[in-house]
């Protein structure tokens, strides 16, 4: 029995927020700055993945939450589609140009996609063998505990016997602790 697994991510990337153009103040200005920071981190990831000359180059996925969410979509085993919206207006020329440059860099990312198939029977058999191994390990550990187990009454009687034999011996402690304990007993 085969199970095909997939993941669908729909993400609407906000346009770059220019504070001078939008005239935002306060919280909206900070929000725009965070959007720009995330888009810059995404651009860094796209540049690192799209540059074919740098094999094994570090991709900074951890720079923002957005790039962490898109990690599988950008460099993983996924088919990714980027839809860019541009405006034909001359007032939006610069924004449209930047959007097209962004999309062309994303187009340079090449990944080989394989189907995510999982054979359920194989996984179940693996889990059953793991469970039996763990159960046998638990039983051997229990046996070892029972072999080394001394009831509490025997432990106390052994400690009393050890104390009596140490008092009777002529052993002298080099640190002087035994002499101090004997003085304390006499007091």
């Amino acid at each position: 029995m085969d199970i095909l697994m997939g993941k669908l991510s729909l993400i609407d990337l906000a346009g770059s927020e220019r504070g001078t153009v939008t005239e935002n103040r306060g919280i909206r200005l900070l929000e725009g700055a965070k959007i720009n920071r995330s888009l810059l981190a995404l651009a860094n990831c796209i540049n690192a993945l799209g540059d074919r000359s740098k094999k094994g180059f570090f991709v900074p996925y951890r720079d923002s939450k957005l790039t962490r969410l898109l990690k599988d979509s950008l460099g993983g085993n996924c088919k990714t589609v980027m839809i860019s919206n541009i405006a034909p207006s001359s007032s939006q020329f610069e924004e449209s140009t930047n959007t097209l440059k962004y999309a062309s860099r994303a187009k340079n990312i090449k990944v080989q996609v394989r189907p995510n198939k999982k054979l359920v029977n194989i996984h179940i058999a693996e889990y059953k063998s793991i469970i039996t191994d763990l159960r046998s390990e638990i039983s051997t550990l229990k046996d070892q505990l029972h072999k080394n187990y001394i009831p509490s009454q025997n432990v106390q009687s052994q400690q009393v016997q050890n104390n009596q034999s140490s008092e009777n011996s002529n052993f002298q402690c080099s640190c002087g602790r035994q002499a101090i304990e004997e003085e304390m007993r006499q007091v």
Side-chain angles (χ1 to χ4, degrees):
M1 179 176 179
D2 292 343
I3 293 181
L4 292 174
M5 296 181 61
K7 178 174 142 181
L8 177 65
S9 300
L10 298 174
I11 298 171
D12 179 18
L13 298 176
S16 62
E17 301 292 327
R18 296 188 182 192
T20 57
V21 176
T22 58
E23 296 180 3
N24 288 332
R25 302 285 177 254
I27 295 173
R28 295 288 176 210
L29 185 65
L30 293 174
E31 187 178 295
K34 288 182 180 181
I35 289 171
N36 287 339
R37 193 175 306 133
S38 292
L39 289 174
L40 178 64
L42 180 61
N44 290 339
C45 288
I46 288 173
N47 289 338
L49 289 167
D51 193 3
R52 295 181 189 154
S53 64
K54 298 179 181 178
K55 290 287 181 181
F57 184 73
F58 174 72
V59 182
Y61 290 118
R62 293 185 177 185
D63 287 353
S64 77
K65 291 180 183 178
L66 177 66
T67 53
R68 285 182 188 179
L69 288 172
L70 291 176
K71 181 179 180 180
D72 291 335
S73 300
L74 292 173
N77 189 23
C78 293
K79 289 184 179 181
T80 304
V81 176
M82 182 175 185
I83 301 171
S84 302
N85 294 322
I86 57 173
S89 172
S90 61
S91 63
Q92 299 296 320
F93 176 75
E94 188 176 348
E95 293 291 328
S96 297
T97 305
N98 288 337
T99 302
L100 290 173
K101 286 179 184 177
Y102 203 85
S104 68
R105 285 193 308 247
K107 191 172 65 172
N108 292 333
I109 299 173
K110 302 291 183 204
V111 292
Q112 293 182 358
V113 181
R114 295 175 309 279
N116 292 327
K117 287 185 180 180
K118 291 194 174 187
L119 298 174
V120 177
N121 297 334
I122 293 174
H123 288 290
I124 290 173
E126 287 177 11
Y127 290 136
K128 284 182 179 179
S129 67
I130 290 171
I131 289 170
T132 56
D133 291 342
L134 290 173
R135 284 184 178 160
S136 65
E137 184 179 354
I138 288 170
S139 65
T140 56
L141 290 173
K142 283 183 179 179
D143 291 341
Q144 288 177 359
L145 277 174
H146 289 298
K147 287 179 184 176
N148 296 333
Y149 178 71
I150 301 172
S152 60
Q153 293 175 353
N154 291 343
V155 171
Q156 291 173 353
S157 63
Q158 284 181 350
Q159 288 176 349
V160 169
Q161 289 175 355
N162 289 340
N163 289 340
Q164 291 173 353
S165 63
S166 65
E167 289 174 0
N168 295 336
S169 66
N170 292 331
F171 176 73
Q172 293 294 323
C173 179
S174 61
C175 67
R177 183 174 171 208
Q178 187 177 8
I180 294 171
E181 287 180 3
E182 287 178 21
E183 289 177 13
M184 293 299 288
R185 282 189 207 132
Q186 291 174 359
V187 171

